[in-house]
Amino acid sequence: MRVLLSTYGTRGDVEPLVALAVRLRALGAEVRMCAPPDEEFSERLAGIGVGLVPVGPPVRELMRGKTLPSAKDLARYRNELVETQFDTFPAAFDGCDVVVAAGLGQVAARSVAEVAGISYLYVSYAAVHLPSPHHAPPPRPGWPEPEVADNRTLWELDAQNVNAQFGEALNSHRGALGLPLVDNVRDHILTDRPWLAADPVLGPWRETPGLDVAQTGAWTLADERPLPADLARFLGAGTPPVYVGFGSMSPAEGVGGMAVEAIRAQGHRVLVSRGWADLDLVDDGDDCFAIGEANHQNLFGKVAAVVHHGGAGTTLTAARAGTPQVVIPLQLSDNPYWAGQVAALDLGAALDAPTTSVESLGIALKTALSPETRARAKSLGSRLRTDGAEVAARRLVHESR
């Protein structure tokens, strides 16, 4: 069995497919992956013996600035990515039995799979990306945010926005390939039987007419790497610090510094993850320490709380560690959704990034660090499953026979 995995995005988009690839290979499947050409992704895939088919520009370059590219630039990037996919995918898909596509940006994948006569499966990492009257669509950068409250209307407008961005390009290629035209690009990409690679306790799917969603659990791998020696020394030199990190994202101006100030004001030590934004928040104080890449699975059980942007991977890892969270979500993708889940499950607190202040962060930290919140976080952590990638790999192999 040959499987093609495809995504375009940051580390949070790539890592779940890495986990699936490892489980598929353990079951005897051959795997290759279409992903951005960033060096860290090529090294990551080489480390597990999976070939990378580079597609699109490096993502880290797009995320380098303090703000996202303009709406005009984002539209151009998206259109160029579609053209690149139609150019690259046919050779990448050749000889494969099934394609697993993750992310709305996988516009060409289903069409190329149709021409090749191979199966196509769409996967989402958060329920919020799938249309449902139970929630609004996620924020999509560069596209207008309608000021209406009804979720059904919002999803209809979302479909119109996706059509406006991708409809002409997609149907131009489909027409040239002899395929029928598509009148709803979003639902064409998602299909009516998508998979949801999210934990059913932390991010459950609610039944929605018209969608037959298979929720497998989140796709992750156990990380056995030890912590760097200097980090271990800092952790052992005092009480557990509060972690601050924003992953592949750049926080709103000043938010990182506010977090450090608020944490110190309550007498806690601070651990800052530089991330892709290369945060420089450390002064000469011995109560603050900065780190680069580290094993979060190992680390998060050793900190008092995790302050972060609301990425799916960070939220899940902190929750599994039983560690309280303070989420300052960017208005991007599933970040607000995971912030809402943390708040709804009483695992900590969620803030509005544009209005975040030292004072509001202080209040949020008091909530997160309370004995009651710590107890709830620890209890929920023990209920989260760790076999999502294994479940998905076995189901994929079984259904492809």
Side-chain angles (χ1 to χ4, degrees):
M1 178 183 178
R2 296 181 178 89
V3 182
L4 189 287
L5 309 177
S6 185
T7 192
Y8 186 83
T10 63
R11 182 174 178 178
D13 298 285
V14 174
E15 280 296 323
L17 292 185
V18 168
L20 180 64
V22 169
R23 298 305 182 199
L24 285 168
R25 282 171 53 83
L27 296 174
E30 297 179 26
V31 183
R32 69 180 72 132
M33 189 184 303
C34 292
D38 298 73
E39 183 178 358
E40 66 184 82
F41 299 150
S42 61
E43 291 177 352
R44 181 75 169 108
L45 293 175
I48 62 169
V50 171
L52 168 66
V53 180
V55 180
V59 171
R60 195 157 187 163
E61 290 183 7
L62 302 181
M63 306 301 293
R64 191 179 301 277
K66 291 293 184 183
T67 60
L68 289 171
S70 67
K72 182 178 180 180
D73 284 342
L74 283 169
R76 177 171 56 82
Y77 285 134
R78 287 165 173 149
N79 286 335
E80 290 175 354
L81 184 59
V82 172
E83 296 304 316
T84 300
Q85 288 172 357
F86 273 106
D87 289 341
T88 307
F89 282 176
F93 289 16
D94 185 44
C96 292
D97 301 296
V98 60
V99 172
V100 179
L104 186 62
Q106 298 297 293
V107 177
R110 184 174 178 181
S111 299
V112 176
E114 286 180 49
V115 172
I118 59 181
S119 299
Y120 167 85
L121 171 68
Y122 180 85
V123 60
S124 172
Y125 303 146
V128 72
H129 290 298
L130 302 176
S132 172
H134 301 301
H135 55 250
R140 305 198 194 277
W143 294 353
E145 290 292 331
E147 295 183 2
V148 295
D150 178 67
N151 287 340
R152 287 184 172 85
T153 301
L154 287 169
W155 280 108
E156 290 171 2
L157 294 172
D158 180 73
Q160 294 173 21
N161 286 334
V162 178
N163 281 345
Q165 173 72 70
F166 297 119
E168 182 177 354
L170 174 61
N171 281 322
S172 174
H173 282 283
R174 287 181 66 85
L177 294 170
L179 299 173
L181 303 187
V182 169
D183 60 7
N184 187 320
V185 176
R186 184 198 64 208
D187 291 358
H188 162 81
I189 296 170
L190 303 183
T191 78
D192 58 2
R193 300 186 65 192
W195 286 14
L196 176 57
D199 189 271
V201 174
L202 190 61
W205 173 252
R206 297 175 65 181
E207 286 290 325
T208 297
L211 279 183
D212 181 13
V213 175
Q215 186 163 16
T216 62
W219 298 352
T220 60
L221 290 174
D223 191 342
E224 305 296 340
R225 294 175 298 161
L227 297 177
D230 56 352
L231 172 56
R233 284 194 296 271
F234 176 76
L235 292 171
T239 57
V242 173
Y243 169 98
V244 179
F246 299 91
S248 305
M249 305 298 176
S250 294
E253 190 69 34
V255 164
M258 291 179 198
V260 172
E261 183 179 346
I263 294 165
R264 280 175 155 170
Q266 297 194 31
H268 295 281
R269 300 193 302 155
V270 189
L271 182 61
V272 176
S273 175
R274 296 189 184 92
W276 279 16
D278 197 24
L279 294 181
D280 184 14
L281 304 175
V282 181
D283 52 29
D284 294 332
D286 59 6
D287 64 339
C288 192
F289 188 78
I291 59 171
E293 168 65 19
N295 179 352
H296 284 177
Q297 293 179 21
N298 189 332
L299 174 61
F300 282 0
K302 298 176 172 64
V303 300
V306 176
V307 179
H308 64 99
H309 62 296
T314 307
T315 305
L316 176 65
T317 305
R320 280 184 178 165
T323 303
Q325 308 179 45
V326 173
V327 188
I328 312 170
L330 302 177
Q331 288 303 304
L332 177 69
S333 188
D334 57 357
N335 292 176
Y337 168 79
W338 291 115
Q341 290 300 106
V342 166
L345 293 167
D346 291 328
L347 303 179
L351 295 171
D352 177 53
T355 61
T356 294
S357 64
V358 173
E359 292 75 18
S360 64
L361 272 161
I363 294 170
L365 283 164
K366 286 181 180 178
T367 298
L369 294 168
S370 71
E372 296 81 8
T373 302
R374 288 200 298 270
R376 282 191 297 269
K378 186 174 182 180
S379 174
L380 183 132
S382 66
R383 294 158 47 205
L384 303 184
R385 63 189 305 168
T386 58
D387 63 345
E390 178 75 16
V391 169
R394 290 190 177 280
R395 178 166 181 162
L396 189 64
V397 170
H398 174 76
E399 292 186 357
S400 298
R401 285 174 178 166

